[in-house]
Amino acid sequence: MEPTVQFFSGFALSDMWFMAQAAWRTLVISVVSISLGTLLGAFFGWVLYEGKFWATAGLAAFLDVFRSVPLLIQLVLFFNLAPIVGLNLDAFASGVVVLTIYTAALVANVARGGLEAVGTPMRRAARSLGMSYWQALRHVVFPIGGRAVFPSWIGVALGVMKDSALVSVLGYVELLRASQILITRTQEPFLILAIAGAFYFALSFPVARYAEKLEQRWAIR
């Protein structure tokens, strides 16, 4: 009698470690993309607020493309078109590039809203104290405007962290991709997805709670 071939196996402790490693990869690609995208988006927001019409019109149209086209399509198109122009990027690098620009497109309007939240009288007051344009921007406009739009930025950051799951289509083994692999092997989708959801919650909840406490601290001041 021929031995039975075992295709499936139950969920094991090693699988939990595999998912934890995938959650770490999710955190890494999210932190890198959000950080770079926030810096780039703040610059874009400043250009949209201070720039001339010819500059802002082109930039606004460019950002609208990344805000309007689904992120999944952006990832697939970039990953397949990049080698044609000589960019041989792996799944992680491709995901970072697309997520960074996607984040910047979302943050740009948030940053512009923060700049608009600081009224002209406050800007003039800063200049009357002897500050240069850049000093007023650094010490007055950005701190006050940043506090005004901080909740919106947190929403963008948490959204991008969850959207990073789409990088799995490129073969990057983050949390969602790891869950798909384990579901195929264990045939336990409810258990695997529940654990994946718990990992996403563990990544997102501390950020949301810290942001809430930071807002309360600013409100007291």
Side-chain angles (χ1 to χ4, degrees):
M1 184 176 180
E2 296 182 359
T4 302
V5 178
Q6 184 71 30
F7 291 100
F8 307 115
S9 60
F11 187 80
L13 186 60
S14 59
D15 297 327
M16 180 67 76
W17 174 244
F18 177 64
M19 293 191 71
Q21 290 177 311
W24 170 253
R25 296 190 193 99
T26 295
L27 181 62
V28 170
I29 196 171
S30 298
V31 169
V32 173
S33 302
I34 293 170
S35 300
L36 296 177
T38 297
L39 294 175
L40 190 60
F43 172 73
F44 287 160
W46 172 77
V47 172
L48 291 174
Y49 181 75
E50 298 283 3
K52 303 296 183 181
F53 173 78
W54 60 268
T56 58
L59 179 59
F62 171 78
L63 297 178
D64 282 340
V65 171
F66 285 91
R67 281 196 298 264
S68 303
V69 177
L71 182 58
L72 180 62
I73 296 177
Q74 297 180 38
L75 288 165
V76 174
L77 286 178
F78 180 82
F79 188 66
N80 288 279
L81 293 178
I84 298 178
V85 297
L87 297 176
N88 295 317
L89 304 178
D90 59 11
F92 174 80
S94 297
V96 167
V97 170
V98 176
L99 284 174
T100 295
I101 300 177
Y102 177 72
T103 303
L106 298 177
V107 171
N109 277 338
V110 174
R112 182 175 63 177
L115 292 172
E116 292 174 347
V118 183
T120 302
M122 189 169 294
R123 293 169 179 266
R124 289 177 177 173
R127 298 299 296 273
S128 67
L129 293 175
M131 292 185 182
S132 66
Y133 171 82
W134 297 108
Q135 287 175 330
L137 199 66
R138 175 185 176 186
H139 298 290
V140 177
V141 178
F142 274 149
I144 297 176
R147 291 188 181 189
V149 298
F150 183 70
S152 299
W153 178 82
I154 288 294
V156 170
L158 293 177
V160 171
M161 182 180 292
K162 289 179 288 186
D163 289 341
S164 67
L166 297 176
V167 183
S168 61
V169 300
L170 307 183
Y172 182 66
V173 185
E174 45 69 65
L175 192 51
L176 181 61
R177 180 64 175 170
S179 301
Q180 294 171 337
I181 294 172
L182 292 179
I183 289 172
T184 301
R185 202 203 73 215
T186 65
Q187 296 297 296
E188 297 182 18
F190 293 107
L191 175 62
I192 302 300
L193 292 178
I195 295 174
F199 272 115
Y200 276 115
F201 178 79
L203 293 175
S204 302
F205 183 73
V207 176
R209 287 295 298 167
Y210 177 75
E212 182 180 347
K213 290 183 178 298
L214 194 58
E215 287 184 68
Q216 292 174 351
R217 188 183 308 168
W218 285 343
I220 294 175
R221 293 180 182 178

